[in-house]
Amino acid sequence: MLLRWFEPNQPDVILTDTDDPAMGLLTKMGLKVPEDIGCAWLSLGENEATRSGIDQNGKLIGQTAIDFLIGMLQRGERGIPETPIRMLVEGSWIQGVTLRAPAQS
């Protein structure tokens, strides 16, 4: 199925949220990463330096959630909050080696 879609569309990059299947499929299609096509992951593991993509900063997400929960307990809060509170822990881009270097302008 990927092959039928790939040939007429000829993408520059594949974005994926899974581990090895994307690379395996591209290799089976005879494509080299990053020479023929780039590949980037939406969620990389901690200390990932090989693959290109986003480090979601999972450790800090967990620490932030625990800090928030401890604060709720210390304030005597129980149950679902009346007003939802959303927190954002920014991820960071890891260049890795599965994308070609950005073009110089």
Side-chain angles (χ1 to χ4, degrees), residues 58-79:
K59 188 173 183 179
L60 184 56
I61 290 171
Q63 290 171 339
T64 302
I66 294 298
D67 286 345
F68 185 73
L69 179 60
I70 289 169
M72 288 179 69
L73 292 171
Q74 289 174 338
R75 291 185 298 272
E77 297 176 21
R78 300 285 187 266

Side-chain angles (χ1 to χ4, degrees), residues 33-103:
V33 176
E35 294 85 355
D36 299 324
I37 186 168
C39 199
W41 282 260
L42 299 175
S43 183
L44 295 175
E46 191 174 344
N47 299 321
E48 180 85 43
T50 304
R51 298 184 295 173
S52 303
I54 301 171
D55 175 359
Q56 297 287 342
N57 210 345
K59 188 173 183 179
L60 184 56
I61 290 171
Q63 290 171 339
T64 302
I66 294 298
D67 286 345
F68 185 73
L69 179 60
I70 289 169
M72 288 179 69
L73 292 171
Q74 289 174 338
R75 291 185 298 272
E77 297 176 21
R78 300 285 187 266
I80 298 172
E82 188 174 309
T83 303
I85 297 173
R86 300 181 198 283
M87 289 180 266
L88 172 67
V89 175
E90 297 240 355
S92 56
W93 179 257
I94 306 299
Q95 182 60 34
V97 297
T98 59
L99 292 175
R100 292 184 287 269

